[in-house]
Amino acid sequence: MKPSKPVILTGVRANNNIHIGNYFGAILPIINMSKRRSDEYDINLFIPDLHSFTTPIDHSKLYDSILNNARVYTAAGLPLDNSSIHLYRQSRISAHSELAWILDCFTGFGEMSRMTQFKDKGSKGDASVGLFNYPVLMAADILLYGATYVPVGDDQTQHLEFTRDIAERMNRKFGDLFIVPKPVIQQHQFFGKDQGLRIKDLVNPAKKMSKSDESGKGIIFLSDDPKSAHKKIMSATTDSISKVQYDKENQPGISNLLEILTLVRQDAGREVTLEQTANEYFGMDRYGDFKRIVADEVAEFLENFQNRLAAVDERAIEEKLASSEKDMNVVANETLYRVQKAVGLRK
């Protein structure tokens, strides 16, 4: 069974604490891209649950976190009835792990040691072997399905280039085994407007919103009580200029709030651009009044989203997962068998 169309592969790590930075920066762009491009491409929207514990987590919550990803996708508008969009769990296709092991044996220790993300995360404490060779599993995720396009952020570009390197290395040694995904520059050109904005931390707008903020004051989670989120916006860091304008270098806090306001308005169905939002509030000199506007609309967004999340059809999600996982096992196992033959494991 071969994909009927070229493949776009994407996914967001299973995480119960999904915040609005994840939602607007990754999940919603993925859903919109999937709907827009599914006529021309097969969309492999996978839940990378095996990646979920490359760093420490609460394992008692992992299973629900995995399903919560599927719920959030659905609440964000994923059309479960679209046969060109495949929603599946990485761990339910064993070929991911099997191909990763084979690729491990053709990967240099030095290659993995140079990975920036490993060096950054590993320097903060004890790093697991899983974190070390995570890029190899990511390569298997991509190569099993012959994915041509994989939307990646700046922190993943090195891993995508490794995927290209290991695919080309295996092809040179064993013949035409893998489709090599496009290089990073072509990925960015292809996805373009499908890339989401990077929402910044409310307390420290110099860094992106991240669950690593232990205080939680700079993050708005999708599960936050709307009133709590309202207070976080009202306490957001601004500046002493006392003039609302979009200037990311000199006024990162205000600029971040303008971006958030634009995004929640777009989610509510309003056709508004960041430029229009910035122009609407340009020159406003009472930051408290401006923050209240943003806080009110963020609270409304959360209330609406949480209502959509509560209304998702759990049975439809389970049926979609089961159907996609059946189909993806066929595709992945064909690729794995071809590789096993090439390396001498099968005849």
Side-chain angles (χ1 to χ4, degrees):
M1 176 180 175
K2 292 185 178 180
S4 58
K5 295 175 282 193
V7 175
I8 296 172
L9 182 139
T10 187
V12 177
R13 175 172 158 160
N15 176 4
N16 218 22
N17 289 326
I18 297 175
H19 54 68
I20 63 169
N22 303 135
Y23 181 78
F24 288 115
I27 292 172
L28 198 58
I30 284 172
I31 301 305
N32 292 337
M33 177 275 294
S34 299
K35 291 190 288 189
R36 187 161 53 248
R37 296 185 180 273
S38 60
D39 286 344
E40 300 174 72
Y41 294 86
D42 272 326
I43 312 295
N44 283 19
L45 178 50
F46 81 115
I47 300 171
D49 48 1
L50 292 174
H51 292 313
S52 296
F53 45 97
T54 54
T55 52
I57 62 165
D58 183 345
H59 289 269
S60 68
K61 296 180 179 178
L62 178 58
Y63 188 80
D64 189 62
S65 295
I66 294 165
L67 293 180
N68 192 56
N69 266 39
R71 297 184 193 109
V72 170
Y73 290 145
T74 307
L78 182 71
L80 296 177
D81 58 349
N82 188 323
S83 61
S84 293
I85 299 175
H86 312 286
L87 178 66
Y88 58 98
R89 291 161 288 193
Q90 179 190 35
S91 64
R92 299 305 174 98
I93 292 92
S94 61
H96 286 250
S97 301
E98 295 184 56
L99 180 59
W101 172 251
I102 293 173
L103 298 180
D104 269 339
C105 295
F106 294 89
T107 299
F109 182 86
E111 281 181 292
M112 294 297 98
S113 300
R114 291 190 293 272
M115 291 292 162
T116 303
Q117 201 173 62
F118 170 74
K119 289 191 289 187
D120 289 347
K121 291 183 178 179
S123 66
K124 297 175 183 176
D126 292 336
S128 69
V129 174
L131 179 62
F132 181 72
N133 74 344
Y134 156 84
V136 183
L137 181 56
M138 178 174 164
D141 299 335
I142 297 167
L143 299 177
L144 279 171
Y145 307 98
T148 306
Y149 290 106
V150 185
V152 292
D154 293 339
D155 58 343
Q156 294 287 335
T157 56
Q158 197 177 23
H159 298 167
L160 181 61
E161 289 299 347
F162 166 73
T163 299
R164 288 172 44 77
D165 290 344
I166 190 66
E168 290 171 347
R169 184 179 309 154
M170 298 293 283
N171 286 351
R172 285 194 300 270
K173 188 172 182 66
F174 296 108
D176 193 17
L177 286 181
F178 297 119
I179 293 173
V180 181
K182 301 291 186 184
V184 170
I185 189 169
Q186 291 185 35
Q187 300 283 349
H188 290 327
Q189 289 170 348
F190 177 79
F191 289 107
K193 63 183 178 181
D194 293 322
Q195 302 292 317
L197 290 171
R198 286 294 185 95
I199 292 180
K200 302 297 185 180
D201 187 277
L202 297 174
V203 175
N204 181 4
K207 66 176 186 178
K208 71 176 183 179
M209 190 173 284
S210 168
K211 69 183 182 71
S212 62
D213 171 16
E214 294 180 2
S215 73
K217 295 178 180 178
I219 317 168
I220 295 176
F221 294 104
L222 293 180
S223 58
D224 275 351
D225 178 79
K227 291 181 180 178
S228 171
H230 194 284
K231 290 178 182 178
K232 290 180 182 180
I233 294 288
M234 294 303 297
S235 300
T237 299
T238 52
D239 53 65
S240 58
I241 297 175
S242 297
K243 179 181 178 182
V244 174
Q245 58 186 347
Y246 189 73
D247 183 345
K248 294 189 76 167
E249 182 175 349
N250 298 307
Q251 295 181 261
I254 287 294
S255 298
N256 190 41
L257 292 177
L258 285 166
E259 290 182 353
I260 292 172
L261 181 58
T262 302
L263 290 167
V264 296
R265 287 180 171 182
Q266 289 173 345
D267 190 75
R270 293 177 59 176
E271 293 186 6
V272 60
T273 65
L274 175 58
E275 183 180 8
Q276 288 171 331
T277 304
N279 288 338
E280 181 179 351
Y281 295 100
F282 179 79
M284 190 174 184
D285 59 5
R286 294 173 63 93
Y287 282 173
D289 291 345
F290 174 64
K291 288 201 284 188
R292 189 166 289 104
I293 292 167
V294 180
D296 287 346
E297 297 200 29
V298 167
E300 184 179 0
F301 156 75
L302 284 177
E303 185 175 354
N304 290 337
F305 178 81
Q306 290 166 9
N307 288 337
R308 295 202 304 269
L309 189 63
V312 297
D313 186 338
E314 297 279 346
R315 177 167 292 196
I317 290 174
E318 291 172 2
E319 290 175 353
K320 181 68 172 180
L321 287 169
S323 173
S324 294
E325 286 160 4
K326 180 180 178 181
D327 291 343
M328 293 301 98
N329 263 299
V330 173
V331 176
N333 285 335
E334 285 186 358
T335 302
L336 178 64
Y337 183 75
R338 186 168 68 246
V339 175
Q340 289 171 330
K341 283 183 66 176
V343 301
L345 295 172
R346 298 283 189 273
K347 271 202 168 187

